[in-house]
Each structure stands twice: as structure tokens, then as C-alpha cells.
Amino acid sequence: MKKLLALLLAACLILSMSAAAFASGEASGEASAESEAAYYTTEDMEPSSYAYQVSDTGRQSKDAGHVYIGYDIEDGELVAEESAWTEEDAVSFTADGEYDAVIDMDVEVEGAGFTSVRSTGDSTVYITGDYYIHDDTDGYYASDFTGTGASFISNLGSHMVIEDVNFISEGFVRAFAMCYGTKMSMNASADAVSTVLDIRNSTVTTYGKYAFDAWEGYTSSADTSIMITPPYVLGIYGGIRTINVLGTRSTLIIEGSSLASGGWGVLSSDGCDTPYFWIIDTTLSAIPESEGGMNSGWAIFGYDEDAYGSAYGSYLIGDAQEYFYGVNFEGLTYCSILTGGDAFIDSIHAGDEIDLLDAATDEVIRTYTAEEDIISHVNTVFGWMAHNEGTITVGDVVVTPAECVFLYKSADVAFTLDGTTAQPGNGILLQMIDNDDNGFSTYQTEAAGVQTEAASMNVSYAFTTDTAVQEGKTYYQRVDEDTYVEVENPTDEGTVDYYEKTYSGNNVTLDLMNNDYEGDIWNGTGYYSENGDVLTVTLTDATLTGRICLSTAPHAISLEGRDVEEVIAAIDAANADNATIVYGDSDGLDPIEYEFLDADGNVCEQEDAAYIHFTKWSVNQYYLLGHVENFVNVNGAANINVIVSEGSAWTVTEESVISYLKAEGDVYGTLTENDDGTITLMPGDELIPAGEYGVQAVVGSASSSSASGESSGEASGEASGEAS
């Protein structure tokens, strides 16, 4: 049914394009009489041998004899022995003073392993026209790491411009385009050469394929030699990354375009070192299940069936530098997933000039000048998800996700909202949880009930290196091997040894700047599998109306405003779907297991339920990952520092439990210092006196792995493949 819906929608889109565009072929495989498109099947072509874009993927032997290419352009020249088409074909191939090749074509292609244009070396190529690519195979001969099946490849020094293109593809990883810079070494990056993929004024729809229709025995994995679906532990699934950027210092530019993925991702970086993304005046979207995409879990969560699909807008890994100006993120699971790099999102204002820099040279490729205001909008399930280190900076953007603005799972991360209009559907600005994407087993499980104890105590005491007592620091004296007590009035006099208390979790910051913010901030780390993390929230020329609180965060959904019978019916429907799934060596998946919780988090009967807590679910319920509910709790491992700078204000709306408060600006509420060293703030009209309360938590050594350099691994920050 999903495949049929995708094909029907593709046909509608094709018919809506110009008469010269690709009309859908008849069932016999022949183009209709009215079509002016050139029609090809890979069965009629001789295999090419170019599929060596990326080293060490283990794909070469599998790809051999299954790769086909329309135009192979090397150093500006057509490679006749590799190309299925020539200048005399129905497809136009010319050259002018600016480009080595100008390609204008209307093309339909059916079959696996086909690439329309590959350009490599010192080549400048311009492409336009309409394309329809259909691949109904099981994905065994497909790879967007080697480029097998990617329609356009800018490779190893090529500059490729794609403009005014209408494109539709169906099939596993039948990517619109790939940009691959200098081959990477696993030990050191090679000298980078300028490799650019520049897309303008184009409409791109890549459906992919239903993830569970992959070749027999296929399972979700970060193994790049087989990966044709994302590691489901990212909370997404599907069969297509619309664009993949690999290699050393590649550059992707997209302007005035619309790109959609049927499930997995729109823009990916992977197996890369410091790529640059420049995305301007463009829409990035996920196709909902009702239109041929993957399931967002809409029935269980209560979303509109047509609102969301299952994909990210972009992926950051290998120190990716990604810039988004005037971009709409529509129907995606996440705007971006952070695994190593920096993302910058802002709106465009008339007269703005943006220099688009080459990642290899840092020279200006061209300058974009804005003619009008273009406001960036976020209409996604979550805003941004981080499961490895980097930064996400959001400027003048309207952010209205169904769930939280930021979802944090792991590593040292800096989040910033600067002048942002943030209106999260669940009222949460930042949700911190233990990383729930650490394994590829068919099932995810969680202990029954709401856990309150820390997974591990990550506190340590280090002998201070200070030569003198520093104001504002908290010092401890050692009583015995396991006992340290706070020093009441530390002094430099005498020979007393002082220790500092540190935590071995991650250091996470959230900066709220230059606007009025409303929403909650939760640190729910340290309960299930990891050390608790230290969160520091800073308000600068900003106000916050909401709570900031330590919590435990089980995978659950609130029943507030929901009919519990309808939710149970949705779970039953998912279980019925599970029974039909062939996955790996299993014929049918186990049902979802769940329990009811009351408003306080206690296990209860259905009639008293305020929440449904999921205790076991399968790969087919990938969408349950990241979805949690919070219960106020202190585990002694996680910490929250809050700094309200002068000129800023925090109005406490509900019980907030934190570790440390520095009130230079206004804080409205009542404050109690607890015996365990935490601070509880409750709503109130009182102005808490300026000063410092509690003890500021400091991270000693981070426990997370780095995701910089030539990482390849979208999932769990692993260096083994786009765990994305």
C-alpha cells in the first residue's frame, strides 16, 4: 500500500510538470507517445566501473557489474567508454565559455545502479531538465557511500551547478545528488581540493522505499558496506538520503529550492571532514506516511496524520559547518541531528549579503544578496537533536515543533536561542535524557516504573591546583577515603589541603538571549545508562517564564486531553503491523509492552492513568525513541546551574529543583535550600534577593567521545558509519 501511494503521488507530480517533462512510462516499460522524455532501462546499458568514490566501504565488489552511468565527465571531457549517452543522443550535451559541459535533458530511467551525470577532476558542469528515476529492487546493489544509484555526483574537484531541475526518484538510496571531496585517509586528511555542488531553483522529491522491503536478512545498521536505511536508533527510518556529502572539505550550496525525503534524511554529511553547507531560501521536508513516506507515530502521539514524516533536515558529523538562512523545516522528525559540528540557523532580511565560502579554500564562491525578508520556520516533531558534541545556534527563527525545541542525548553541547520565537508544542525548550540510541538490537527495553536512583555516581574530588583561595569557589576537606566536607570559610592561612568537587558527565549549556521565552527546561540524565550531566542555563538580556528542573524521564506519553481507548487502539494497530514484519531472521516482531502510570509516576490501573509508559518496543516503533515524560527527582548525579544576568529575569511557574543559582537579574519565586545541597524554587511574586545560592557544579573530565575529524557514523556518534 505504501509503495502504491508513493507511485500514485509520483505520477500526479509528473503530470503536473511541463509537457516536456518526464511522462510516466507504460507498464510495458515503454515511454508514452506523448512523452518527449528519453526513456532508458539499465538492462539496455553496459555496466560502468566508476563506483569508487569512497574508500574502505566494502562496497566495491558488490557494486562491480551493477553500476551504470549516463554521462561520465573527467577533467572536463566526456569519457565515451564509461558513458551510456553521447552528444548525439536525445539528451543535449554542449559546452560554453563558463562550463565544460551543459546538459539539458528530460529523462526516465528504470533499474538499479544508475547515475545520470558524474563529474570528476577539474570539471565545471551545468545541469537542467526533468528526471524520473524508478528502482523497484531490494537495495542490495545500492549505496550512497560509493554513489551507486545517486543521480548526480560532483566528485574530487568538480564544480557542478544544478538549476531549474524537477526530480523524482523511487528506490533504496536513489539519491538526488552526492558531493564527494578529496578522498579521506583514516589517519590524516589529504590536501583538500575545491569540490562544489550548487543547486538552484529546483524541486526534488525522493521517496526512497519502505524500509522493511529491503533484501532478505537486512537489519538496521551503521555498517557502511550494507547501509540502505538509517540506524533506527536515531528515531527515524526509511530508505533515502536526498543528498549525501562526503570526503574532505566538500561544499554544498542550495538556493531557492524545495527538497523532500520519504524517510531517513534530506541533507546528510557522512564519512567527511569539515564540509560546508549553505542552505538559503529553501524548504526541507519529510513526506508523511499518507503520501508515501514513513510512519511518524502520529496515531500513538495524537499528531495530524498528514503533518509529519520520518527524517531529519540535515546531519552534522566530522566538524560539519552548516548555515541555514530563510529555510523552512517542514514535517521532519528533527531539523538537524548533531554528531559533531556547528549549525547556524537564521532568517534573511532585505539587503543582507551572505558570502558563500568554499570549504577547501575559505574563498568566496559567490555572494547571495537578499531582495526581501525571508523568515525561517520550524514545523517539525522535535527542533534539534544532539547525541555528540558541537553547537546549535538559532537566531531570528519561528520555532513551533510538536515536542521540545532541543532534544539532548549525549556529549558536550552548546545550545543558543538568540532572538528566537520559540513555541514548543509540549512547552519544553530543552529536554535532556540519557542516550537511547546506543544499541542495534531489534528491541528496546526499559525497566518498569519510574526509576529514581542514579545509574552511577559520577562525583569525584580532586586536589585543587589553586595557589590561593578564589572567591566564589566551593572547597572541601577530606575526612577519610570516602568522606569530604565543605569548608565553611576557606582561607589561605596554614597548610590545609583543599579539594574541589567535580562531575564526570558532560558539560551542556543553554543560552537564552535577546527575547522573552516561555517554556520548561529539564535535565533528566543519569538514570538508566549513563553519568548525569551538568547543565548551565544562562539568561542574557532575556526573560524566561517557566521551570528549570532535575528529573527522571521515562519513555512515556501523557494522556492529558487524550482518549485512552484511542491510544490503546493505536498501539494495538502497531502490534498488528509488527506481526507482519519480516526483519532479519525473524518473521513477525513482538508486540509493544507498556504500563499505566498515575500523575505521580506510580504504576496504576487504566482508570487512574495519566501516562502510558513503554517498557518494550521494536525497530518498527523507532518513533518512540526520544519521547519522554518528566517526573521531578534528584539523583545526585545530574546538576543544573542557572545564571540570570543583570537585565534579565526568570519567573518560576512550577516547582524547580536546581543545584546552583546566580541571581544578578530578577528571579521571581520562593527559594529553599535543601539538605542534599540542591535548591527548590516555587512560584511566587517575591523577588529573590540578588546573590548566589547552592554550589556551582563543575565537569571534570567528559565521558563522551569526540565526533570531529573524519568521523563516519550517524548513529550513537560511532566512527563506523552514518549512524544517521
Side-chain angles (χ1 to χ4, degrees), residues 447-518:
V450 174
Q451 305 303 302
T452 59
E453 299 298 324
S456 63
M457 293 307 295
N458 57 339
V459 177
S460 61
Y461 293 85
F463 186 78
T464 181
T465 57
D466 296 342
T467 57
V469 168
Q470 296 183 18
E471 184 179 354
K473 274 195 173 184
T474 301
Y475 295 92
Y476 296 83
Q477 286 182 295
R478 181 178 179 179
V479 176
D480 55 41
E481 185 176 353
D482 299 317
T483 307
Y484 296 80
V485 296
E486 184 177 338
V487 180
E488 293 271 341
N489 296 296
T491 173
D492 295 331
E493 296 177 4
T495 58
V496 178
D497 291 340
Y498 289 149
Y499 291 79
E500 291 183 62
K501 185 178 182 180
T502 62
Y503 298 86
S504 57
N506 299 306
N507 187 36
V508 181
T509 63
L510 172 63
D511 290 330
L512 302 178
M513 306 171 64
N514 300 313
N515 211 343
D516 299 322
Y517 298 94
E518 185 173 345

Side-chain angles (χ1 to χ4, degrees), residues 78-120:
L78 184 68
V79 183
E81 62 269 23
E82 289 294 324
S83 298
W85 303 330
T86 68
E87 292 96 326
E88 288 74 36
D89 275 317
V91 180
S92 171
F93 181 99
T94 60
D96 62 19
E98 184 176 359
Y99 298 100
D100 297 318
V102 176
I103 301 169
D104 183 0
M105 54 185 175
D106 296 329
V107 175
E108 285 185 63
V109 177
E110 183 170 354
F114 179 76
T115 292
S116 296
V117 181
R118 169 188 179 262
S119 176
T120 194

Side-chain angles (χ1 to χ4, degrees), residues 57-79:
T57 67
R59 294 287 316 196
Q60 281 82 350
S61 60
K62 182 183 286 189
D63 294 338
H66 296 276
V67 177
Y68 309 88
I69 188 166
Y71 285 135
D72 190 16
I73 301 165
E74 185 172 346
D75 293 328
E77 299 293 331
L78 184 68
V79 183

Side-chain angles (χ1 to χ4, degrees), residues 239-320:
I240 183 68
R241 290 185 285 192
T242 306
I243 294 176
N244 200 11
V245 177
L246 306 101
T248 299
R249 292 191 169 273
S250 304
T251 304
L252 172 66
I253 301 171
I254 304 177
E255 179 187 337
S257 297
S258 177
L259 294 89
S261 169
W264 184 349
V266 184
L267 309 178
S268 178
S269 58
D270 206 349
C272 59
D273 184 351
T274 322
Y276 286 6
F277 285 19
W278 301 97
I279 317 302
I280 301 171
D281 184 18
T282 286
T283 295
L284 307 177
S285 62
I287 301 169
E289 183 184 25
S290 60
E291 297 177 12
M294 289 291 288
N295 185 5
S296 66
W298 59 271
I300 290 176
F301 300 130
Y303 303 150
D304 182 339
E305 179 180 3
D306 301 320
Y308 307 108
S310 180
Y312 56 72
S314 80
Y315 201 86
L316 293 97
I317 198 170
D319 195 30

